Amino acid sequence: MKDKIYKIKEEALKDMNKLKTIDQLEEIRVKFLGKKGELTQVLREMGSLSKEERPAVGQIANEVRKELESELNLTKNKLRDEMKKRKLEKERIDITMPGNKILLGHRHPLIATMEELENVFMSMGFSIVHGPEVETVENNFDALNSPENHPSRDLTDTFYITEDILLRTHTSPVQVRVMKQKEPPIKIVSAGRTFRFDDVDDTHSPMFHQLEGLVVDKNVTMANLKETIDIFIKELFGYDMKTRFRPHYFPFTEPSAEVDVSCFKCKGEGCDECNGTGWSMELLGCGMVDPKVLENCGIDPEVYSGFAFGLGIDRIAMVKYGIDNIRLLFENDMRFLSQF
Ligand code: DAH
């Protein structure tokens, strides 16, 4: 019986030497040490031994069992380590390799400027509204009090689609749309594309962008207008910037003004950029909404008053980003755009 036990041990060790996986190892464990395993079987047969023989054989059997168990555990750990090593080897990452470059786009400088302007106005309590680029002559000119013989109405200045429909020449018709739809209080800005029959040069394009603002409520005054424009300019360009209001004429506001801002280069000191004046000319137009316009839009000018302003976004983007040619904004040349 002893020989049988030693033979089982030898066989088990031989099998263990050959195994490659943990599954195989478990098979061996079952084959030799399991309930119906070879060694277990032998132990069961111990009943047939004499009383004298039994303890010695039992001892050997137990020792062999322990040896095999510890050998199996050792092999199991070895296999685990090897598997782990192989896995790590397979999943090895060389962190010094150059990565795959992801080409991310970004906002167009003009859109970035537009959103920045909208954000400043939103922070001042204005809502953003949008108007169509194709407008009626009524909204673009008539309701805005534009005189019948105003040169901008001319076929050579405006893109007409029919006699009554045109590409809006400014964002001011959005004022009309809002006032016709909504009771005061009104506090909106609207940015978007506008169109005029201009020849292209460094500062002119037949398509350009404006932002329109409108506030209508009881007791709105010119002081509110000046305060709003002043804060807006400071928020946008910095608190060292000043504004200057010059009287002007617009058909839809009375009184009207053009607003100059401190020279962007010298901030008011006087330099070659501003011809020594310290001022950047004409950043925006504004004024108190003409009572006639309120009336045209169904708002009682005896109860309500309002102010409005309009500014060119392209110009602001050009100043902000140091762009000296408006064409660059619209040509979609990646060599230009990727600089921002
Ligand atoms: N619509 C004017 C333009 O295109 C700009 C403007 C001036 C808008 C005065 C206004 C305003 O709302 O009050 O030149």
Side-chain angles (χ1 to χ4, degrees):
M1 188 158 254
K2 277 187 215 161
D3 290 346
K4 214 168 169 187
I5 295 173
Y6 284 130
K7 218 171 142 222
I8 289 174
K9 177 181 163 185
E10 222 172 275
E11 218 179 295
L13 289 177
K14 222 161 87 193
D15 279 5
M16 260 188 260
N17 262 335
K18 282 189 276 181
L19 64 82
K20 295 219 163 56
T21 68
I22 289 185
D23 283 348
Q24 285 169 351
L25 181 132
E26 290 308 324
E27 274 169 29
I28 291 172
R29 192 193 294 279
V30 172
K31 184 175 162 199
F32 293 98
L33 305 179
K35 260 192 199 158
K36 290 180 188 160
E38 290 183 22
L39 191 64
T40 322
Q41 217 73 47
V42 173
L43 287 175
R44 265 197 205 127
E45 286 162 19
M46 285 220 327
S48 62
L49 292 176
S50 68
K51 245 185 193 163
E52 293 73 33
E53 271 177 318
R54 235 181 269 166
V57 174
Q59 201 186 347
I60 292 169
N62 271 331
E63 270 170 20
V64 167
R65 185 180 186 90
K66 266 193 203 138
E67 255 178 81
L68 287 182
E69 258 167 9
S70 90
E71 198 61 37
L72 277 168
N73 285 340
L74 274 178
T75 314
K76 193 170 179 175
N77 287 342
K78 217 172 85 194
L79 279 174
R80 257 206 206 118
D81 285 351
E82 274 171 17
M83 262 166 62
K84 202 157 132 192
K85 223 165 106 190
R86 247 178 290 152
K87 198 165 166 225
L88 285 176
E89 201 65 43
K90 225 165 77 188
E91 292 173 1
R92 184 201 201 106
I93 297 171
D94 182 355
I95 55 163
T96 63
M97 289 255 287
N100 293 330
K101 196 170 176 188
I102 298 169
L103 286 175
L104 279 183
H106 60 78
R107 283 198 170 32
H108 189 284
L110 186 71
I111 301 301
T113 306
M114 201 184 267
E115 288 180 356
E116 195 182 342
L117 294 176
E118 288 177 340
N119 281 336
V120 172
F121 281 111
M122 276 199 282
S123 73
M124 293 167 74
F126 284 77
S127 314
I128 311 282
V129 301
H130 296 281
E133 291 165 10
V134 178
E135 259 297 1
T136 59
V137 170
E138 150 76 15
N139 287 347
N140 195 82
F141 289 129
D142 298 339
L144 287 168
N145 210 24
S146 152
E148 282 294 332
N149 57 355
H150 196 278
S152 66
R153 286 187 179 247
D154 211 278
L155 286 171
T156 55
D157 278 337
T158 296
F159 294 104
Y160 283 89
I161 289 165
T162 66
E163 224 172 87
D164 308 315
I165 309 277
L166 43 67
L167 293 184
R168 64 179 179 186
T169 60
H170 51 179
T171 43
S172 300
V174 182
Q175 287 187 28
V176 177
R177 287 179 174 271
V178 172
M179 284 193 280
K180 280 182 175 170
Q181 271 171 22
K182 199 173 143 15
E183 293 282 316
I186 292 169
K187 195 172 178 185
I188 59 103
V189 290
S190 181
R193 276 188 209 125
T194 47
F195 307 86
R196 287 182 202 174
F197 223 120
D198 273 331
D199 283 331
V200 179
D201 64 24
D202 285 358
T203 53
H204 290 87
S205 156
M207 195 249 331
F208 56 104
H209 298 76
Q210 283 191 340
L211 179 134
E212 190 80 15
L214 175 71
V215 174
V216 182
D217 202 349
K218 287 176 182 156
N219 304 318
V220 174
T221 69
M222 188 90 184
N224 301 135
L225 166 60
K226 289 189 73 173
E227 170 83 358
T228 303
I229 300 295
D230 199 58
I231 291 179
F232 156 66
I233 293 296
K234 288 182 160 68
E235 282 288 329
L236 189 66
F237 294 115
Y239 270 70
D240 49 352
M241 297 295 268
K242 289 195 177 67
T243 48
R244 177 173 76 175
F245 288 67
R246 274 183 295 104
H248 197 75
Y249 169 77
F250 295 106
F252 32 90
T253 41
E254 181 59 35
S256 306
E258 269 188 341
V259 182
D260 303 330
V261 180
S262 312
C263 171
F264 296 105
K265 195 169 164 194
C266 65
K267 311 257 166 174
E269 297 282 316
C271 67
D272 50 347
E273 184 84 16
C274 57
N275 294 325
T277 62
W279 295 100
S280 247
M281 294 311 234
E282 285 179 43
L283 201 72
L284 59 92
C286 63
M288 300 307 293
V289 181
D290 194 305
K292 195 93 184 286
V293 174
L294 291 175
E295 223 172 76
N296 289 345
C297 300
I299 291 176
D300 185 351
E302 295 296 329
V303 182
Y304 294 106
S305 56
F307 66 77
F309 51 90
L311 54 90
I313 300 174
D314 315 82
R315 172 90 196 287
I316 292 181
M318 287 168 76
V319 171
K320 235 176 102 62
Y321 292 100
I323 300 164
D324 55 8
N325 188 331
I326 195 171
R327 278 171 280 207
L328 290 167
L329 287 177
F330 307 130
E331 278 172 349
N332 281 340
D333 186 334
M334 288 306 287
R335 287 168 303 180
F336 167 73
L337 290 177
S338 58
Q339 294 174 58
F340 300 98

